Amino acid sequence: MRRPGRYAAGAAVAGVPLALAVLGPFFVGEPGARAASFTPGGGHWLGTDFVGRDVLDQVLLGGRPVVLVALAATALAYLVALPVGLVSALTHRRWLEETLMRPLDVLLAVPSLLMLLLVAAAFPPGAVGLALLVALVSVPDAARIVRAAAAEAASRPAVEALRMQGESWWRLAVGYVGRSILRTLAADAGIRLTGALYLVATAAFLGIGVAPDASDWAVMVDRNRAGLFIQPWAVVVPALLIVALTMGSNLLVDAAMEHRAPAGRTPRDRVRSEPAPRAPVPPRKGRRP
């Protein structure tokens, strides 16, 4: 049984930005005439942004690019990391493991943000290119975690027994080792999604992969920070939505990984149910031990 309170908290925190990202564009009407920059009120519930657009409309439109790119980058990273990590953990060929893992170590030595800047300077990416870039810098970490968890599961006697029975590699990798590391992968997926959101938002903040005036939460934080003390909602609202999305995602993953002990079987109950050890009986006098 899982903790319903943790699920409710995670769903409540992450539900708002996710709902805005998915349903927000359907509630945006035709763009009206632009007003003065950084104007609070004036028929605009959250004021106007740096070019006079309605902030509420930009908030409703700006969530979908951030969420979709982060989710796509996380999925692509695991699409590469899972087979690489499983093959490296289960193979008995040292050269194959070195061939798969050593190039990833080289990528791991380069900071993620620096990699984004270097590639974007040579090949300016769009939304698809940004998702591929974020996935590329996420693969080394994810592959090492998959390999470490799979290597621990592959060293168990059950795997050797399956090998001796002539089971296929697919049965070993997916049927036993893959199922054994699901909890580790789920916990890492929450962290990986948070990292992808961070990189996507940072890239948009720096103008990588998006237009300077795009409807994007991270772009809104960057472009509207000049008027933070005049019209703060244009910065505060998208920033809070990004933070809520990352926090809510981690709360949901933590709740999924945390299980309660069975009712009536707490550690104290288990100790009480175990029989007490018998004291040794001393040998009687006059008898040989």
Side-chain angles (χ1 to χ4, degrees), residues 23-24 31 72 194 202 238 282:
L23 303 176
T194 302
T202 304

Side-chain angles (χ1 to χ4, degrees), residues 6-121:
R6 298 288 295 276
Y7 274 116
V13 175
V16 175
L18 284 176
L20 289 177
V22 175
L23 303 176
F26 297 104
F27 294 95
V28 178
E30 295 294 330
R34 297 188 179 183
S37 301
F38 300 126
T39 302
H44 305 282
W45 287 12
L46 297 178
T48 59
D49 63 358
F50 70 107
V51 291
R53 297 174 299 186
D54 186 79
V55 172
L56 180 58
D57 289 345
Q58 297 304 305
V59 168
L60 295 175
L61 292 171
R64 185 172 292 182
V66 176
V67 174
L68 289 181
V69 172
L71 288 175
T74 304
L76 288 173
Y78 276 105
L79 191 63
V80 177
L82 274 174
V84 171
L86 288 175
V87 171
S88 300
L90 293 173
T91 185
H92 292 292
R93 298 176 177 87
R94 186 71 177 180
W95 63 268
L96 180 58
E97 180 182 357
E98 295 291 331
T99 303
L100 291 174
M101 298 304 298
R102 294 294 79 81
L104 298 182
D105 291 342
V106 175
L107 288 177
L108 191 62
V110 183
S112 302
L113 187 57
L114 179 59
M115 178 71 72
L116 288 178
L117 292 174
L118 289 175
V119 176

